Amino acid sequence: MAGKNGKQKTARDMILSLGVIVLVAGVIWIFIPHDDGEPDIKRVDYRVELLTAQRAASYPVAAPEGLSDDWKPTSVRFQGADSDTWHLGFHAPDGEYVAVEQSTKKPAEFIDEASQGARATERTEELGGRTWTRYTGGRYDALVLDGGDDMKGATTVVAGTGSFEQLGRMAAALELS
């Protein structure tokens, strides 16, 4: 009988211990904040880099004017040693990503890189007084502006996960300086 009573105590003690552990875990879970919403994306100020790029680039640098505050700039860089490459990335109002890319690199190579492999379609759009060619791809879609005389040989790409409507809104807002 003594053996049976010992086994009952051991099983009861294990169940009580498990109950205490679950209770403590529940209390900890209640007091630790957990936010299931979108992460807070930091806004970057790109004015200094834009001024630097405008002074150093051999072409008119594109930056948007007049977009709502819902468009958050999230990344910026200018690489003068690398074919005067300009990048300005945005978090669009609906959470998608839209980037402005410019460079004097060989156009085919640059477009492939900036659009992450998107391919040209036969469709064009008039945006901001310029003719843009649509590119579609697996990861990004893009609008491409050829590096004509007014662009001094630079190719401009507006690419990202956003819809063509969003890409078009960005392309139409671009001011060259």
Side-chain angles (χ1 to χ4, degrees):
M1 289 275 217
K4 189 175 183 184
N5 191 16
K7 286 183 182 179
Q8 284 178 343
K9 274 188 171 178
T10 304
R12 189 187 72 198
D13 289 346
M14 285 178 23
I15 291 171
L16 287 174
S17 295
L18 182 61
V20 170
I21 290 171
V22 168
L23 182 65
V24 170
V27 169
I28 290 172
W29 184 82
I30 288 172
F31 288 105
I32 292 178
H34 31 283
D35 185 12
D36 295 336
E38 252 183 62
D40 185 30
I41 296 173
K42 302 294 183 215
R43 182 181 295 270
V44 299
D45 185 358
Y46 61 88
R47 291 177 294 187
V48 172
E49 286 85 353
L50 177 60
L51 289 172
T52 301
Q54 288 170 337
R55 288 185 194 132
S58 59
Y59 55 84
V61 176
E65 289 287 328
L67 288 176
S68 69
D69 285 343
D70 294 343
W71 288 80
K72 282 187 184 178
T74 58
S75 58
V76 61
R77 69 182 161 274
F78 176 72
Q79 296 169 325
D82 186 23
S83 303
D84 286 346
T85 302
W86 167 246
H87 161 86
L88 184 56
F90 284 84
H91 184 258
D94 70 349
E96 298 295 334
Y97 178 72
V98 177
V100 177
E101 309 276 354
Q102 285 184 290
S103 181
T104 56
K105 278 185 184 176
K106 189 176 180 182
E109 177 186 326
F110 177 67
I111 293 167
D112 187 60
E113 184 181 302
S115 69
Q116 297 202 5
R119 298 288 170 235
T121 66
E122 293 184 17
R123 191 161 177 198
T124 61
E125 292 186 37
E126 279 293 319
L127 301 163
R130 297 178 188 89
T131 303
W132 297 77
T133 303
R134 274 190 178 196
Y135 279 62
T136 59
R139 181 164 178 181
Y140 283 179
D141 288 327
L143 294 171
V144 176
L145 180 63
D146 247 351
D149 291 338
D150 62 332
M151 294 302 295
K152 299 183 181 176
T155 304
T156 304
V157 178
V158 175
T161 59
S163 65
F164 275 111
E165 180 183 329
Q166 286 178 317
L167 299 176
R169 195 171 302 129
M170 175 61 77
L174 292 179
E175 294 292 325
L176 303 171
S177 55

